[in-house]
Amino acid sequence: MKYTNNITEFILLGLSQNMKIKHVCFLLFLFCYIAIWMGNLLIMISITCSQLNDQPMYFFLNYLALSDLCYTSTVTPKLVTDLLAESSTISYTDCMAQLFAMHFFGGIEICILTVMAYDRYVAICRPLYYTIIMSRHRRYAMVSACCAGAFLHSFVQGLLTINLPFCGPNEIDHYFCDVYPLLKLACTDTYRVGILVVANAGMMGLVIFVVVMLSYILILYTIKAYPAESRYKALSTCSSHITVVVLFFVPILFIYIRPATTFPEDKVFALFYTIIAPMFNPLIYTLRNAEMKNALRKVWCQKLSLIARQII
């Protein structure tokens, strides 16, 4: 039987139907979204206005902060506004656009985290070749490759979803449009599509996660021979990166590495990689990094003193 798509909009059930819980969540996630913008903008301005941008690690951190802002902005603003409404709807076109944008910017973030792990591996394990391998030209090439890889991933993910027929019901048990909740609504057999989604999202995430963790294992093995002070500095930098990787990757793997099924817990796990990880990234990279803290003090003290002189 040939199915046709007669759905023009979807109803997002969100995190809860209880208005008191929704109001509490509204205040919580509004604060989180403001913190994400303030923290990541602070990092981007501080790196751009200081000499840190010439260092590969901070060059990539600048792009990670930008991808954080873009990524969380595909989901959080609508989540926050929907928490004040009695019901939430999203058009079919906007749903597909949100799906594509979320996987595109999320893919960029995953790739940037991988490149940052590679940067630390080269800096610690192959220091004599570091400036050659991480030249400015290659850094831009790596960022371009991250964008191209993310686009390919999101294009495939969108292509798999946009060809599905939806003929009712149209209630998505989530707070944003994602692949698995949409597969649940499709009025056709989605077994093959589900396998392709797992291969495209789940296996890609798993392979990248394993590669990133292997790079840090090699780093830990290498720094065993370092003096205590150098070992502490390397461990401090790498521990920040590992924390970000775990916060971001583990919830993603929980959702996408399994067969195409949905659980009520998926919404809670999704909060980790759509809101919580982007919010904690600035704190993790600034509070545990002496160079970043020095750059923040220097840049913002200069700006505040300049503003004070203009007022006087």
Side-chain angles (χ1 to χ4, degrees):
M1 181 177 177
K2 181 76 173 176
Y3 291 100
T4 58
N5 187 5
N6 57 10
I7 297 294
T8 58
E9 68 175 18
F10 294 101
I11 299 171
L12 296 171
L13 298 181
L15 295 171
S16 173
Q17 297 302 309
N18 187 310
M19 288 305 295
K20 289 184 178 179
I21 295 175
K22 288 174 75 171
H23 288 159
V24 172
C25 289
F26 167 78
L27 294 174
L28 175 62
F29 296 130
L30 178 62
F31 169 79
C32 290
Y33 191 54
I34 293 170
I36 289 168
W37 269 91
M38 290 180 63
N40 284 291
L41 281 177
L42 195 67
I43 283 181
M44 291 168 64
I45 294 169
S46 301
I47 291 175
T48 305
C49 296
S50 68
Q51 295 179 345
L52 289 180
N53 201 41
D54 295 328
Q55 299 181 37
M57 183 177 78
Y58 299 102
F59 174 86
F60 295 126
L61 178 57
N62 200 7
Y63 281 97
L64 179 67
L66 178 61
S67 66
D68 266 340
L69 287 180
C70 296
Y71 176 58
T72 194
S73 294
T74 62
V75 173
T76 312
K78 180 159 180 59
L79 167 64
V80 171
T81 54
D82 287 347
L83 287 168
L84 293 179
E86 290 187 5
S87 62
S88 171
T89 60
I90 184 170
S91 69
Y92 176 84
T93 304
D94 289 345
C95 183
M96 295 301 120
Q98 185 185 57
L99 174 70
F100 177 86
M102 193 196 75
H103 281 273
F104 175 63
F105 291 115
I108 291 176
E109 183 153 354
I110 286 174
C111 294
I112 292 289
L113 287 171
T114 308
V115 169
M116 290 178 75
Y118 177 68
D119 169 71
R120 291 299 84 202
Y121 165 76
V122 175
I124 294 171
C125 300
R126 303 187 67 189
L128 297 177
Y129 301 96
Y130 183 65
T131 54
I132 298 172
I133 295 173
M134 288 295 169
S135 64
R136 180 172 290 272
H137 173 74
R138 289 190 178 180
R139 276 180 272 162
Y140 280 111
M142 287 178 182
V143 171
S144 299
C146 289
C147 294
F151 178 83
L152 180 62
H153 159 71
S154 56
F155 178 78
V156 171
Q157 204 82 322
L159 192 65
L160 291 171
T161 311
I162 206 167
N163 286 322
L164 292 173
F166 298 100
C167 40
N170 65 337
E171 290 184 341
I172 299 177
D173 188 17
H174 217 304
Y175 61 89
F176 65 91
C177 288
D178 204 4
V179 181
Y180 284 174
L182 287 170
L183 287 179
K184 191 176 179 181
L185 297 182
C187 48
T188 186
D189 183 20
T190 60
Y191 177 75
R192 291 182 180 178
V193 176
I195 291 175
L196 292 174
V197 170
V198 172
N200 182 42
M203 292 308 298
M204 184 188 80
L206 180 62
V207 169
I208 291 176
F209 179 70
V210 170
V211 168
V212 170
M213 296 312 294
L214 280 175
S215 70
Y216 285 117
I217 290 171
L218 289 172
I219 288 170
L220 292 174
Y221 179 78
T222 303
I223 63 176
K224 281 179 15 181
Y226 279 29
E229 186 177 346
S230 299
R231 187 164 61 244
Y232 174 79
K233 185 178 179 181
L235 281 172
S236 178
T237 304
C238 291
S239 63
S240 301
H241 294 192
I242 292 171
T243 305
V244 171
V245 167
V246 170
L247 270 176
F248 193 71
F249 273 92
V250 171
I252 287 177
L253 292 177
F254 172 81
I255 291 176
Y256 291 109
I257 200 64
R258 65 172 190 254
T261 54
T262 58
F263 298 112
E265 297 83 10
D266 289 355
K267 290 184 278 189
V268 177
F269 276 91
L271 290 173
F272 277 91
Y273 60 80
T274 56
I275 298 175
I276 295 173
M279 182 180 68
F280 278 108
N281 280 0
L283 292 174
I284 291 168
Y285 280 110
T286 53
L287 296 180
R288 296 182 60 84
N289 191 305
E291 286 182 318
M292 196 69 220
K293 285 189 283 188
N294 290 334
L296 286 170
R297 277 194 293 265
K298 186 176 179 181
V299 169
W300 292 101
C301 284
Q302 286 177 351
K303 288 187 179 295
L304 289 173
S305 63
L306 183 62
I307 292 170
R309 285 197 207 100
Q310 289 175 347
I311 293 173
I312 295 170

